[in-house]
Amino acid sequence: MKKKIWITGIVIVLCVLAAVLWGLYGRVDVTQIEKISAPGGQLNEAETEEFLWIFKTAAYRIPIEGGTTIDPVCTIYLENGEKIWIYERGGQVFKVCYVRDGTKTRSYFIKSKLLDVFLEERWDSIKTKGA
């Protein structure tokens, strides 16, 4: 009986630990951000705060392998030299790639209606300025 209780306890602890670590996967340490560029140029302080809130609250999907040939729509520059490229994949889905020294170190998908709206507003602003 005690053996079953121990095994059940260990399984529960491992599940909780896995859930916590999964929630941290891909999260950005905001203290390490130098700047963020998006359509229309570098984000100002207010835009950066809005972008980071949207990015941190996006629904994270499974990690992926492989590359893409399109250019990123946003780049987050970190103090350690690492970059985070964000690609539009259609609709509300985005591919996030961490890059160090020109090599992708990890990738995953996120889904965010708010990020899609944020970028659409920036694209519309560029079109309006160009007209």
Side-chain angles (χ1 to χ4, degrees):
M1 182 70 177
K2 287 185 179 183
K3 187 176 181 179
K4 287 183 181 179
I5 293 172
W6 274 101
I7 291 173
T8 303
I10 290 171
V11 168
I12 290 171
V13 168
L14 290 175
C15 289
V16 169
L17 182 62
V20 168
L21 291 176
W22 180 253
L24 296 175
Y25 181 81
R27 300 296 182 181
V28 178
D29 180 359
V30 296
T31 63
Q32 297 297 311
I33 294 174
E34 279 186 6
K35 64 181 178 180
I36 300 175
S37 66
Q42 186 173 329
L43 302 182
N44 63 33
E45 188 175 331
E47 292 168 330
T48 296
E49 286 182 29
E50 179 183 5
F51 178 87
L52 289 174
W53 182 85
I54 291 169
F55 186 70
K56 290 190 309 185
T57 59
Y60 281 74
R61 302 252 179 133
I62 58 171
I64 56 168
E65 297 295 329
T68 182
T69 57
I70 59 174
D71 292 331
V73 292
C74 297
T75 303
I76 301 173
Y77 297 87
L78 303 178
E79 289 179 353
N80 65 4
E82 192 172 40
K83 295 177 186 171
I84 303 170
W85 290 340
I86 302 172
Y87 300 88
E88 285 186 289
R89 298 298 291 173
Q92 301 169 9
V93 178
F94 299 87
K95 180 179 178 182
V96 179
C97 296
Y98 285 68
V99 179
R100 180 179 291 279
D101 299 324
T103 304
K104 291 180 184 174
T105 58
R106 66 180 185 251
S107 301
Y108 55 90
F109 285 117
I110 60 173
K111 183 175 183 179
S112 175
K113 181 178 182 176
L114 294 174
L115 183 56
D116 188 45
V117 169
F118 179 87
L119 293 172
E120 280 298 319
E121 288 173 354
R122 293 195 58 88
W123 284 118
D124 289 344
S125 174
I126 292 170
K127 291 175 188 173
T128 303
K129 289 178 184 177

